[in-house]
Amino acid sequence: MADPLYRFDCVPMNTITLPFFPLKLVAFPGEKLNLHVFEPRYKQLIGDCLLKGSTFGICVYLDKLTMYGTEVSILEVSKTYEDGRMDIQALGIRPFRIVNFRNPMGEKLYAGGEVSILEGDEFTDTLLYAEFKELMVDMLQLLGLPENEDFKRIDTYNFSHKIGLSLEEEFKLLLMRNEAERLRFLVQHLRKALPILVKMEEAKRKIQMNGYFKNLDPLNF
């Protein structure tokens, strides 16, 4: 039986060709990524994308290449170094499944190939989303993140890197093409993680108090 982590039951809606940038991370749709590009093949890849105004694919690498990833676009080159290294900011667009992997891609230094875009169902369970958002706000506040406009736009992707998911769990989340399924997955994770985080914060406060002089009231016997 195939490993469910690498299986995806989906009828491809369309196919496009992308250059590939395999990384040990999951890029979520709508997420901004800061990447330091230093290998010759990936400097060439980014240079070609800038020249053509095209996108590329960040392929998820776990213990091996998973054959799934996310199409991303380059928002800006933040810095270019004398040796050709670059700091870039990219934006996740949509997930894909690799149909054809070619390494190298023609005469290029980097890999590439055809991918099928994974379409999804964005139907949201209103009650489940309300619970998810409440749990997420509690988690983000415990993590000490300042409340801002992003708190009003919490979805199943935009804070997922901050709530303690493993790389494998983030990968599973990326493969879920149903919003309600993603909500159930994250609610289950948050229900388990929040009590642990609360206990850790309580322990941290107790440890911090140990170094201070305590003003103790006398006891009357």
Side-chain angles (χ1 to χ4, degrees), residues 66-83:
T66 64
M67 305 305 283
Y68 293 91
T70 304
E71 181 186 7
V72 301
S73 63
I74 301 171
L75 294 178
E76 66 174 20
V77 178
S78 304
K79 184 175 181 178
T80 302
Y81 299 83
E82 291 183 1
D83 60 2

Side-chain angles (χ1 to χ4, degrees), residues 129-148:
Y129 176 75
E131 180 183 4
F132 164 69
K133 187 171 182 179
E134 183 178 350
L135 290 169
M136 278 293 296
V137 169
D138 289 344
M139 171 68 84
L140 296 173
Q141 288 174 341
L142 279 170
L143 292 172
L145 295 178
E147 190 165 345
N148 54 39

Side-chain angles (χ1 to χ4, degrees), residues 1-205:
M1 183 180 293
D3 186 341
L5 193 63
Y6 299 97
R7 179 174 56 81
F8 196 91
D9 299 322
C10 174
V11 178
M13 297 297 293
N14 50 53
T15 301
I16 60 174
T17 301
L18 291 175
F20 294 148
F21 196 148
L23 289 170
K24 280 193 171 184
L25 63 81
V26 173
F28 290 120
E31 177 188 10
K32 291 183 180 179
L33 302 157
N34 295 317
L35 302 174
H36 179 65
V37 183
F38 60 92
E39 288 189 55
R41 54 183 166 175
Y42 299 127
K43 289 191 290 186
Q44 185 187 67
L45 183 155
I46 297 301
D48 287 349
C49 288
L50 289 170
L51 185 65
K52 299 174 183 177
S54 57
T55 58
F56 64 97
I58 291 182
C59 308
V60 182
Y61 190 97
L62 298 179
D63 58 327
K64 60 182 178 181
L65 190 66
T66 64
M67 305 305 283
Y68 293 91
T70 304
E71 181 186 7
V72 301
S73 63
I74 301 171
L75 294 178
E76 66 174 20
V77 178
S78 304
K79 184 175 181 178
T80 302
Y81 299 83
E82 291 183 1
D83 60 2
R85 291 178 295 125
M86 290 175 279
D87 293 334
I88 69 168
Q89 187 177 78
L91 177 68
I93 302 175
R94 50 191 178 172
F96 60 75
R97 176 175 61 86
I98 299 174
V99 176
N100 184 294
F101 184 87
R102 301 195 300 273
N103 188 20
M105 188 176 181
E107 298 180 354
K108 300 296 183 180
L109 298 175
Y110 51 82
E114 287 70 45
V115 305
S116 293
I117 302 302
L118 302 178
E119 305 293 343
D121 176 7
E122 298 305 314
F123 172 77
T124 300
D125 182 317
T126 305
L127 292 177
L128 192 59
Y129 176 75
E131 180 183 4
F132 164 69
K133 187 171 182 179
E134 183 178 350
L135 290 169
M136 278 293 296
V137 169
D138 289 344
M139 171 68 84
L140 296 173
Q141 288 174 341
L142 279 170
L143 292 172
L145 295 178
E147 190 165 345
N148 54 39
E149 285 299 312
D150 290 338
F151 272 42
K152 298 177 183 178
R153 298 190 297 271
I154 291 175
D155 60 34
T156 51
Y157 288 135
N158 62 357
F159 285 105
S160 293
H161 284 312
K162 302 182 185 297
I163 61 173
L165 294 174
S166 67
L167 181 59
E168 288 77 9
E169 287 171 328
E170 290 181 352
F171 180 57
K172 287 180 180 179
L173 184 66
L174 182 72
L175 295 190
M176 294 175 187
R177 304 313 315 136
N178 179 279
E179 178 71 0
E181 183 182 7
R182 289 194 292 269
L183 286 171
R184 285 192 294 271
F185 178 79
L186 291 173
V187 164
Q188 184 178 24
H189 170 79
L190 290 167
R191 284 173 179 168
K192 292 178 181 178
L194 267 170
I196 296 172
L197 190 59
V198 168
K199 289 182 179 179
M200 289 176 62
E201 287 299 310
E202 290 174 352
K204 188 189 300 182
R205 284 194 292 270

